[in-house]
Structure formats: C-alpha cells, structure tokens
Amino acid sequence: MPRILAESLIERLAEWGVDTVFGLPGDGINGIMEGLRRHRDKVRFVLVHHEEAAAFMATGYAKATGRIGVCLATSGPDGLHLMNGLYDAKLDHVPVLAITGMQETSVLGTGYQQEVHLERLFADLTEYNELVTNPVQLPALVDAAVRHAYARRGVAHLTLPNDLQVADADADPWQHVAPARPPHTAPVYLPPPGRPREEDLRRAAAVLNAAERPALLVGAGALHAKQEVLAVAETLSAPVIKTLPGKAVIPDDSPYTTGGLGLLGTRPSEELVDDVDVLFMVGTNFPYTQHLPPAGATRVVQLEADPVRAGARMPTEVPMIGDAKEGLRALLPLLDRKRDTRHLAKYQAKMAAWRADMHALETADRDPVAPQYLASVLDRLCADDAILTCDSGTVATWAARHWTVRDGREFYLSGNLASMAPGLPYAIAMQHAFPGRQVIAYIGDGGFAMLMAEFLTAAQHRLPIKVVVNNNNSLGQILWEQMVLGYPEHGVRYAEPWSDFSGWARSCRGYGAKISKAADVESAVAEALAFDGPALVDVDVNPDEPPLPGKVSYEQAKKFAQAFLKGQPRRASIATTLFKDRIQQMGE
C-alpha cells in the first residue's frame, strides 16, 4: 500500500505529541480521514456533530492541557463553521492547529463547487496560514505551524487540496529551476527563556518594596504559578484580585484573594483598585480598563509573557517580559517581607462580609429556584478536583461568585471572545484529556441550545460528562445589559413553554432530569454526578434575578431606574426579587 501524503501529516502530528483530532469528515478531506484510519493507533479521531464544536473542543483541550489542540474540517462551508471556535483560541492566546480541505489543484480558480479559499479567509485569525502545494513540503509546514501556534500562543492553519492528500508522500513532481532542496526540519519547539532581565527584576522589586497598599491582579497566564503567586502575596501582605479566566490561579477561599474584578467581580475587588498605591499585574492583559485604576493614580508593575501586551492597558512603570512562574520565583528573593498587615486585614474583613452576602443568596427557600442556590449545590457536591466549564451569560456571574476553586479544581470559559456555546464542547474535550476526573458543563439554556447535539457526541464516545443547565428561558445577560443602558428589555425572552432538555438527554441514553422546585435540586444533581455516563440536569431558575455588579455605580442605578420608568415588562417581579435578595443579605 503506497504511503500517501495524509499519512505524512498524521505521522508528523504524532511526533509533535498530538493524540486527538476533533472534527467532521467530508469529501474534501477523505484523504486525511484515510491517513487517520491508517494511523488510528497513534492519533484518535473524535467525530463531532458541528465543526464549531470541533474548534471549541480543540481550544478547550489546549486550555486545559497546555498542549496544542487540533481540529479538522472539510472544504467550503464546513471550514467556515470553525471560525468562531478558532477566534476563541486566538483571543484567549492558546495554541490550536486547524486543518481543512481544499478543492483539487486542477480546478482552483475556476469557481468550482465549494471553492472557498480558507487560507485567505483565515488570515485575520491565524499566526501561521498556508496552502500546501507540494507533498515534500508538508512535514516542514506542519513543524512551522505547530511552532508558530506555541510561540505566538494562537491559531495555525493548514489547508490541503484533495489531490495532494492522496499523492505519494515523497513526491516532488516539479523541476527545480533553482538549486533548491525540499526542506528537512525537526518537530521540536523550544520555549523562550522565562526569567525576566535582571535589571527589570530589581526595578520591579524596588517599586513593590516601596508599596504601602499593594495588590496583585493575576490572570490565566499565571494558572501554573499558584505557589509563587501565594508566596509573593504573603511576602508583600498583598490582596490578590483574579480575572475570571484566572479564577483558578489561587483558591477562592484563600485569605489573600478578594475574588474577581469587573461586572462579574466582587465589591472588595472594586474598592481595592481605588485604594492601591502599587498594582502588580501577573499573567493578564485585563481588557476592561474602566475597572482599573485611572492613569497615573497608582504605580504599575507587570509580568507578561508577550512583549506586545506589556503596558497595553495602562501606564506601566516596570514592564517585565517572562513566564509567570519563573519570573515570580526570580523576584521573590528580592522582595522585603512586610510586617504591617493592616492593608491586607482590611480587605480580608471586606471579603468575609462579601462571602456572607453571597451565602445569604444561596437559599433553598425560594421558588422559582434562585440561580445562586443551584450554583451553590453544584459547588458543594462536586469533587475537589472537578473541572467546571462555563458559558457566557448570567451563568458566568453565578459561577464566578458561587463556584469555589479549591485544591485541584479548575475553571474554564470563553474569556476575551465571551462566546456562547463553548461550555459543552470544552467539557467533552477535557473529559477526553482527563478521563479519570469529574468534568461539568455549567451552561445557560441559550448556549446549550446552540450546540446541544454534542451531548449525543458525549454519549456516543461514552464520556461521563455532567451538564447542568441554568434555564431562565431567556438571553439573560443581554436582558440586564439592555436595562443597564436604560432600555426596557426587548427580544430577549423565549416564548412559552419553557425548554425541557432532559428528554433530549434521555433520548441519547444519558441521565436527564427536569427540575422546577428548589427542594428537588440537590437530589437531582447528586444522581447526575453518580450516573455512570453523560448526565444532564435542566433547572428552571428565577428569570428575574439580576446579575448585579459587585459595586453598582450611580450611572448604572440611574439607567436601571430609567428602564423601569420607560415600561420594563416585568418590573414588579424584578423589584420583588431584588427586595428578597436584600432582606436575605440583611438577615445573614
């Protein structure tokens, strides 16, 4: 049997340590599918139901493992479906390789069926992007693509014409006009040194040692530096603010953290950024500048892996380029231990009050079900090393505030793209990567409906993922955003009857439960977690529970009131919910 080019592709991916490809076949990649079949002992192919999900799976795989994620789609419309998931990888800076098919070289440029030049279309979202035109160039292109994805923390793309996929893997059919040889490269990537320059470390230490009210702001780039972040926080007696993608950097119950920042964050974190005299940003390019100190109001030190992103959000006195873990390790011996802990104690007290407020909302005494209660039950019953994936929307607020990262727990969502629908594909990819761990997708009804066919994917691959649907029968985040802009809601609530996804789960031979009473939530979640296979719990939650910011500004309150005055359709129910929330917090 002759060795075809598609085999060379799969063999090279295996040499790079790729063990999984997520995708959907088509006539434009039949040669690649044959290559996968011939080498199925090296690389497994995970058949999905939508190419967007394949790209999300590759992104989720990369986020959870740190290794390159790979997705595969055929030519034309199927390749187009990859784009949303690939932009998620681009904006959250994770390494992903997309492989697509292309029409045969003999018909390119003739307007052939499904002739979409994906290498042109993907130009904006990729760090490396090539059309394969000669079989012998392929190994070098795979090497370059993977190295670019790792080095630049983004998306690489290779597209292979149909006829080349099945060509002789060693064919070099054209006469070489110049004395060129086919490139011979190695599947090796060496990351750059992670230790910042010595002079930058000393400048940073001088600023941090002079601080009276320091704070750290840590993001996803510091997820592998938990012990180092805690050591710096302890040495400086500094509170630690976490971005939402960086929620798992240190435990949520740590005495050093004030939780998240921004619309989904905490009141102590919002107050802290107005109080600090030195802000140390580690592994984050936090985009929401309205939640950062005003320019010139505080001194800023930043430890960032990418020189382009250092100092990109606010004036930075000492930018350092390096890996979060290595950089903090190098910095620690230069820091003076602070004996005055009053600044830290002040925010520990504020955080204790905030946690009490959040706990007061986690009540089982209300119907419709309070979404805070659903999140708290999930938090309480899940394993200490559980992986939680989350969609964008109000569900992200409840996860941010009521899902407690402790011990080995992890948390993933679409950070900068803030896309709906990745929660379920993420969970599938992460369950493939970590078959022995508990993986839960905590998602809204809107996001689940977009890619719900992938629950069948989980069942067909016998993956024991758990799905908890926070069902408010609406696009809840958009609803509240409309009101905060002063507009009464419009076009954001689905018509009756409410969706019931439990029947779909059972039809896939998984566990499915529909819950509308708070008294039934805990038993249903417990049964789902214990089920030997994919399980789904669809919970009808209060659709009028607002995901209020940690600190409500005067302007936000005014716009909210204006929406009421202009004729907010469910103002009575919303007002009642807010009143009950306040009463419960006072009682706590």
Side-chain angles (χ1 to χ4, degrees), residues 378-428:
L378 191 60
D379 176 64
R380 181 159 38 85
L381 296 183
C382 286
D384 285 343
D385 67 343
I387 299 173
L388 187 77
T389 70
C390 184
D391 263 10
S392 299
T394 57
V395 68
T397 299
W398 315 132
R401 295 176 179 175
H402 302 276
W403 170 257
T404 306
V405 170
R406 58 177 179 267
D407 299 321
R409 281 188 176 181
E410 297 177 41
F411 174 78
Y412 298 97
L413 82 171
S414 174
N416 287 294
L417 186 62
S419 175
M420 293 177 66
L424 178 57
Y426 276 11
I428 290 171

Side-chain angles (χ1 to χ4, degrees), residues 272-285:
L272 178 57
V273 295
D274 294 331
D275 186 27
V276 297
D277 60 353
V278 174
L279 182 66
F280 186 13
M281 301 173 66
V282 182
T284 180
N285 190 35

Side-chain angles (χ1 to χ4, degrees), residues 252-255 257-259 266-268 344-360 585 588:
D252 282 316
D253 55 4
S254 166
T257 189
T258 58
T266 70
R267 185 169 56 251
L344 175 62
K346 173 182 176 181
Y347 285 93
Q348 287 174 333
K350 288 178 178 288
M351 198 58 191
W354 171 264
R355 290 187 178 110
D357 284 346
M358 293 302 99
H359 180 68
Q585 288 175 334
E588 184 75 13

Side-chain angles (χ1 to χ4, degrees), residues 427-447:
I428 290 171
M430 292 173 193
Q431 192 74 82
H432 271 291
F434 303 105
R437 292 180 66 179
Q438 193 179 71
V439 181
I440 306 103
Y442 176 51
I443 51 186
D445 54 300

Side-chain angles (χ1 to χ4, degrees), residues 43 46 64 89 102 135 140 204 230 237 243 322 341 352 393 396 410 414 436 528 561 583-584:
V43 178
V46 176
M102 177 62 72
L230 287 171
S237 292
T243 68
T341 61
E410 297 177 41
S414 174
I583 290 296
Q584 285 176 322

Side-chain angles (χ1 to χ4, degrees), residues 356-384:
D357 284 346
M358 293 302 99
H359 180 68
L361 300 175
E362 298 170 352
T363 176
D365 298 332
R366 283 161 58 176
D367 284 313
V369 178
Q372 299 95 325
Y373 173 65
L374 172 60
S376 73
V377 169
L378 191 60
D379 176 64
R380 181 159 38 85
L381 296 183
C382 286
D384 285 343

